[in-house]
Amino acid sequence: MDIRVNDLCKSFGDKKVLDHLSLTFPEGKVSCIMGPSGCGKTTLLNILMGFLEADSGSVEAMPAEKSAVFQEDRLFEEFSALTNVMATAAKTVTAAEAGEHLSRVGLGDSRNVRARELSGGMRRRVALVRAMLAESKVLFLDEPFKGLDEETKKTILEYVKEAVAGKTVIFVTHDDEEASALAEQLIRLEPIEAAAVES
């Protein structure tokens, strides 16, 4: 079922961030949200994920099972890369399968290394694999490729494109290349003076 945002409003003090926003996120498709800093992209994501309450409006047909890649990695620091993935993996995912996904993102030799010992780019890849294998009906990606060098990003974009095929994905980015690689629907949010446009 499509996820629908109806007439959503959100302000922080005197600053209006979302003003009567209505959108549809098609089931099984990747919807990419783009726009300048401060236009409400992360606020919208936080409302959709249930971390923030809207002032008015509604969200319909949001599944209870969600997974996410946040702007921060949010890993269990003392756990290995593999254990971080398995901690939230769907019950059908085996450790061997999780290890194979880590290998696909270049972390095969680091699967037993603790998260706190991994570089920033490696941590980001663990966070991505963890979200891909979690039990969820909708996947949220908030600047998921942040901190990856260009060569690594190309590999990870291909991995994510395969991993999310057929899933409902809501994806925030500033990067046109990332949007071109993944987006099946592009939503541009503008500062409050202008309306959001679906394409």
Side-chain angles (χ1 to χ4, degrees):
M1 190 179 293
D2 295 348
I3 297 164
R4 292 178 300 282
V5 171
N6 303 311
D7 219 24
L8 214 61
C9 295
K10 182 65 183 176
S11 297
F12 296 98
D14 294 334
K15 182 172 172 53
K16 196 175 279 190
V17 179
L18 301 174
D19 187 22
H20 299 284
L21 180 69
S22 294
L23 299 167
T24 298
F25 298 103
E27 182 179 17
K29 302 289 185 186
V30 179
S31 296
C32 179
I33 303 169
M34 299 188 77
S37 295
C39 71
K41 300 184 299 296
T42 297
T43 297
L44 175 60
L45 242 61
N46 282 328
I47 291 170
L48 293 173
M49 287 189 281
F51 297 145
L52 197 60
E53 196 171 327
D55 298 333
S56 61
S58 64
V59 177
E60 295 179 13
M62 176 60 70
E65 302 88 352
K66 310 175 186 78
S67 64
V69 176
F70 301 96
Q71 290 191 25
E72 313 82 24
D73 300 316
R74 302 193 185 188
L75 301 179
F76 299 108
E77 295 295 327
E78 296 303 318
F79 288 5
S80 69
L82 182 61
T83 305
N84 264 282
V85 173
M86 291 302 294
T88 59
K91 293 184 177 71
T92 53
V93 175
T94 65
E97 287 171 323
E100 192 251 326
H101 277 255
L102 288 168
S103 293
R104 284 170 63 190
V105 299
L107 294 176
D109 293 336
S110 304
R111 68 185 68 187
N112 295 316
V113 177
R114 289 179 185 177
R116 62 180 172 81
E117 296 168 9
L118 298 173
S119 70
M122 295 165 86
R123 291 167 63 88
R124 181 97 300 215
R125 283 176 274 164
V126 173
L128 277 159
V129 171
R130 182 176 62 177
M132 297 303 133
L133 296 182
E135 186 133 27
S136 67
K137 292 184 178 172
V138 58
L139 173 62
F140 294 92
L141 303 174
D142 191 2
E143 301 285 356
F145 308 106
K146 197 169 88 172
L148 297 179
D149 64 71
E150 286 305 310
E151 205 52 48
T152 302
K153 190 198 286 189
K154 285 176 188 170
T155 303
I156 304 310
L157 275 168
E158 281 306 309
Y159 164 74
V160 170
K161 190 172 184 178
E162 286 178 32
V164 302
K167 292 184 180 180
T168 303
V169 181
I170 300 173
F171 165 43
V172 166
T173 183
H174 285 98
D175 189 297
D176 290 327
E177 180 191 354
E178 295 172 11
S180 296
L182 293 178
E184 294 169 275
Q185 172 183 241
L186 182 60
I187 298 166
R188 292 195 182 274
L189 291 185
E190 300 295 341
I192 286 304
E193 296 75 37
V197 178
E198 286 189 50
S199 60

